[in-house]
Amino acid sequence: MSELLQRTDRLWSGEASTTQAEYHPFSGPRLLEELAPGIAFFKAFVNVTAVKTAEGLVLVDTGSFHPAAHKLSFDAVRHWNGERVHTAVYTHGHVDHAYGLPPFLAEARERRWQPPRIVGHANVLPRMQRYVRTAGYNSIINTRQFGFETQWPVEFQAPTEVYADALEFSLGGTRFQLHHAKGETDDHTWVFLPETKTLCTGDLFIWAAPNAGNPQKVQRYAVEWAAALRNMAALRPELLLPGHGLPIAGAARVQAALLDTAAYLESLVEQTLERLNAGATLYEILEEVRPPPALEAKPYLRPVYDEPEFIVRNLWRCFGGWHSGVPSELKPAPRRALARELAALAGGIERLLERGRALLAAGDARLAAHLVDWAADAEPASREVHAARAAVYRALKEGAASTMSRGIYGAAARESETKAQ
Ligand SMILES: [Zn+2]
């Protein structure tokens, strides 16, 4: 039996969890397996699906931008099959999915093959162009999000063929049905192969609470995302190949994964809208909205990458403006002026630090973080302040389950550890 599907079984039964490093959707084995006749799935940080047809291979996603990463996916595919890549489909323009073609293109040049046709949604190219304009920012936030140095790529292979809503093509007797949906991005494609009832979801399913809230990135679309998951489920897929994480086999499991994820998003949307329409502020909504516990407990909906709290913030931004509803935040005083005012009221920076340490010791690192940030805003050069701040953010990082929180808290801890020396 497939090693990957055995791992899926362990997650499904509760014997393993995505909260374990080895089962986190972005880690785990780098392994290619043929999961249906002619359909190979490469599981790594990001997944690649390769489909063998009588006219050559079709890739769904291409691997990551980093040369070491896309060499891995290239080698895995080539170990399985040596035929020409006829078509590559980008599920979306993220750099871990749509920037892995260079070794396939080099191979095509060497072997004098026609280069692959590249198919993607019409919004992929504008995204790639935006990434060139924001390469500095994206290098910074990706380094922060994942905790290792990233140099954002500025070279890309644009789609050679784009579509708007849906596109179907047939290659060597295999049909590929491409559907556009907004969700994690505005340029997503999910792919259905009707003969084998195989579904490639892109990042619309990733074995984690949906990445619909990412704190450092552009707008995500939870409403359309949920609808897309229901559209996928209506086709009764029997094999789900996600953008990250393990494959899911069997119609019943695939239905559960898709429909539970849709219901999870819909619940957050409804709860947020109800409060938004009743005049609640952003902070009131953040305090009250929670995913249904039965759904949050599903093995594929744990908040190990993004978090529901961040999804609510993105819904606030999607339905409204950026104003939080707290009037002093419309045109806030400079952080340093506010911080010095609070320090003076408290009786000095030391009092802020003291209280921060006490809150940390009492287990409320989240509240302590405000105090140490004010202390750092008031006295940015103080080693003592940064030592206290580092301890708070180290604790927040250790206590966080999601990649996003661990990344941002970890970066703050490292920053203050450096400044405390
Ligand atoms: Zn991804």
Side-chain angles (χ1 to χ4, degrees), residues 208-222:
N211 181 15
N214 195 318
Q216 306 183 97
K217 299 198 173 172
V218 298
Q219 184 66 56
R220 275 96 209 274
Y221 307 91

Side-chain angles (χ1 to χ4, degrees), residues 26 91-97 123 127 130-131 134 137-138 141-142 145-146 152 180-188 202-206 208-228 244 264-265 268-269 272 305-320 403-404 408:
F26 287 71
T91 61
H92 59 300
H94 276 171
V95 295
D96 51 340
H97 296 260
N123 286 341
R127 168 180 300 278
R130 170 164 62 81
Y131 283 168
T134 56
Y137 173 71
N138 279 299
I141 61 169
N142 245 49
Q145 181 168 316
F146 292 108
W152 196 258
H180 167 57
K182 293 209 291 187
E184 188 196 42
T185 62
D186 63 359
D187 63 350
H188 243 83
D203 281 357
L204 297 169
F205 185 86
I206 60 163
N211 181 15
N214 195 318
Q216 306 183 97
K217 299 198 173 172
V218 298
Q219 184 66 56
R220 275 96 209 274
Y221 307 91
V223 175
E224 295 89 338
W225 191 328
H244 302 269
Y264 179 102
L265 286 169
L268 294 179
V269 170
T272 302
Y305 186 54
D306 204 339
E307 296 189 27
E309 180 173 340
F310 304 155
I311 299 177
V312 172
R313 281 187 180 268
N314 237 324
L315 288 168
W316 175 270
R317 184 170 64 165
C318 189
F319 291 122
T403 304
M404 307 293 169
I408 291 172

Side-chain angles (χ1 to χ4, degrees), residues 368-385:
H370 290 280
L371 302 190
V372 293
D373 267 350
W374 284 329
D377 283 332
E379 284 295 341
S382 162
R383 288 180 186 169
E384 195 194 351
V385 164

Side-chain angles (χ1 to χ4, degrees), residues 2 11 26 66 86 115-116 131 151-152 175 188 192 216 233 285 287 292 305 326 348 369 414:
S2 146
L11 284 176
F26 287 71
H66 196 279
H86 181 285
Y131 283 168
Q151 195 58 48
W152 196 258
R175 279 186 297 158
H188 243 83
F192 187 64
Q216 306 183 97
I285 294 176
E287 267 181 59
Y305 186 54
V326 178
R414 283 194 303 278

